[in-house]
């Protein structure tokens, strides 16, 4: 081993001697190369700005569906907290939004429904019009959870959640309301009197930046063939049971 080490040291010494004459020239070349490299790697202000913009853009994170509809989840959190404490005064609370066909206020009948024993709410994020942004459906289910009954449909008006349609059954003699969703983002919403059956149906369209009312007709329920009246294809009606649903209470209790 000592002989091997000695041989390596001797070889290194000889190589160092051979290279001694080239040291000055190598140093000169190194200085020139360093200067060129420093010059070529200097970044212009415009390039730096472009790089900064790219970095900022790539770091932007899309909102989740829950974040987009956060105000809706908070509204139901408040309602369910009132249910848990038996605070029925919330039924008289004035709605925070609503007032027209595209921005409804949550009906007090739906709030009353939440106070019924063992009422569980389910939610589903579904892209009804195929624009890459999900709408939010809320529903109840029957006891064995084989059938789903949507009672509220929310969409994004720009970036703001809005209630587009709701289903409800008021006490005897009161109002009724229902809605159906169709492929392509069309929504047929109706409200009528349980006593006379007279009411109004509206054909709505969810768009990439909101919703619009396409048409409105006076109807008789039962009696009027709504699909025929509004030129809708029954085969394109979305079956709520085909959607994926999750428990709202389970989510809020996390």
């Amino acid at each position: 081993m000592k002989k091997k080490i000695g041989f390596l040291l001797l070889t290194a010494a000889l190589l160092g001697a051979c290279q001694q004459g080239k040291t000055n020239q190598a140093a000169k070349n190194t200085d020139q190369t360093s200067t060129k490299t420093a010059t070529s790697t200097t970044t212009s202000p415009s390039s730096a700005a472009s790089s900064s913009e790219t970095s900022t853009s790539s770091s932007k994170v899309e909102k989740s569906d829950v974040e987009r509809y956060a105000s809706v989840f908070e509204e139901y959190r408040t309602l369910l907290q009132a249910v848990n404490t038996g605070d029925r005064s919330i039924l008289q609370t004035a709605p925070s939004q609503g007032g027209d066909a595209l921005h409804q206020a949550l009906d007090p009948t739906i709030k009353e429904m939440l106070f019924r024993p063992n009422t569980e709410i389910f939610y589903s994020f579904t892209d009804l019009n195929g624009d890459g942004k999900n709408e939010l459906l809320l529903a109840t289910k029957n006891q064995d959870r084989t059938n789903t009954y949507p009672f509220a449909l929310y969409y994004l008006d720009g970036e703001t959640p809005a209630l587009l349609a709701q289903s409800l059954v008021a006490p005897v003699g009161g109002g009724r309301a229902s809605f159906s969703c169709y492929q392509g983002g069309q929504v047929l919403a109706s409200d009528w009197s349980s006593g006379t059956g007279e009411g109004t149906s509206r054909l709505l369209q969810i768009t990439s930046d909101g919703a619009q009312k396409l048409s409105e007709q006076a109807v008789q329920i039962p009696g009027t063939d709504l699909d025929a009246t509004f030129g809708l294809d029954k085969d394109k009606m979305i079956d709520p049971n085909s959607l994926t649903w999750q428990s709202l209470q389970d989510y809020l209790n996390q």
Side-chain angles (χ1 to χ4, degrees):
M1 176 62 72
K2 290 182 179 180
K3 290 182 178 180
K4 185 175 183 180
I5 294 174
F7 176 75
L8 291 175
L9 291 175
L10 177 60
T11 301
L14 291 173
L15 288 174
C18 291
Q19 293 297 325
Q20 184 64 40
K22 301 179 182 179
T23 301
N24 293 336
Q25 184 63 36
K28 182 178 180 180
N29 291 341
T30 300
D31 290 341
Q32 291 175 346
T33 302
S34 299
T35 302
K36 291 180 181 179
T37 301
T39 302
S40 64
T41 56
T42 301
T43 304
S44 67
S46 59
S47 298
S50 176
S51 176
S52 176
E53 290 172 1
T54 301
S55 176
T56 302
S57 175
S58 63
S59 64
K60 184 178 180 180
V61 178
E62 288 292 327
K63 290 183 178 180
S64 68
D65 289 324
V66 171
E67 290 173 324
R68 291 189 179 99
Y69 290 94
S71 61
V72 178
F73 278 72
E74 285 307 309
E75 179 179 13
Y76 283 88
R77 184 192 301 275
T78 300
L79 286 169
L80 292 173
Q81 287 175 344
V83 170
N84 291 335
T85 60
D87 181 11
R88 299 180 68 87
S89 65
I90 198 168
L91 298 175
Q92 282 73 49
T93 303
S96 59
Q97 62 176 351
D100 61 60
L102 302 180
H103 306 81
Q104 296 189 24
L106 188 65
D107 194 278
T109 302
I110 292 179
K111 296 180 181 180
E112 180 71 39
M113 174 192 69
L114 301 179
F115 280 87
R116 298 174 188 169
N118 303 318
T119 297
E120 186 171 8
I121 302 174
F122 297 85
Y123 69 95
S124 176
F125 290 116
T126 304
D127 185 2
L128 296 175
N129 64 329
D131 66 347
K133 294 189 297 186
N134 285 333
E135 284 68 53
L136 169 63
L137 284 159
L138 297 178
T140 57
K141 289 178 175 285
N142 59 348
Q143 189 171 4
D144 59 5
R145 297 190 178 187
T146 55
N147 288 310
T148 307
Y149 309 102
F151 65 81
L153 167 60
Y154 293 86
Y155 71 104
L156 292 175
D157 184 7
E159 295 293 327
T160 304
L163 178 59
L164 183 63
Q166 51 192 325
S167 294
L168 59 96
V169 178
V172 177
R176 301 283 191 272
S178 68
F179 68 89
S180 299
C181 300
Y182 295 77
Q183 297 172 19
Q186 291 182 318
V187 178
L188 183 60
S190 303
D191 54 76
W192 67 97
S193 167
S194 62
T196 66
E198 296 177 351
T200 303
S201 292
R202 299 170 300 280
L203 181 60
L204 312 170
Q205 176 67 55
I206 298 174
T207 65
S208 60
D209 57 357
Q212 58 182 343
K213 182 170 69 174
L214 300 180
S215 60
E216 182 173 302
Q217 296 281 346
V219 296
Q220 183 72 31
I221 300 177
T224 303
D225 185 336
L226 298 179
D227 288 310
T229 299
F230 290 92
L232 295 169
D233 185 348
K234 292 182 180 180
D235 292 335
K236 292 186 177 181
M237 184 186 296
I238 297 174
D239 179 6
N241 293 320
S242 68
L243 305 178
T244 300
W245 299 90
Q246 301 179 69
S247 170
L248 180 62
Q249 279 94 331
D250 285 351
Y251 172 77
L252 295 177
N253 290 332
Q254 290 179 357

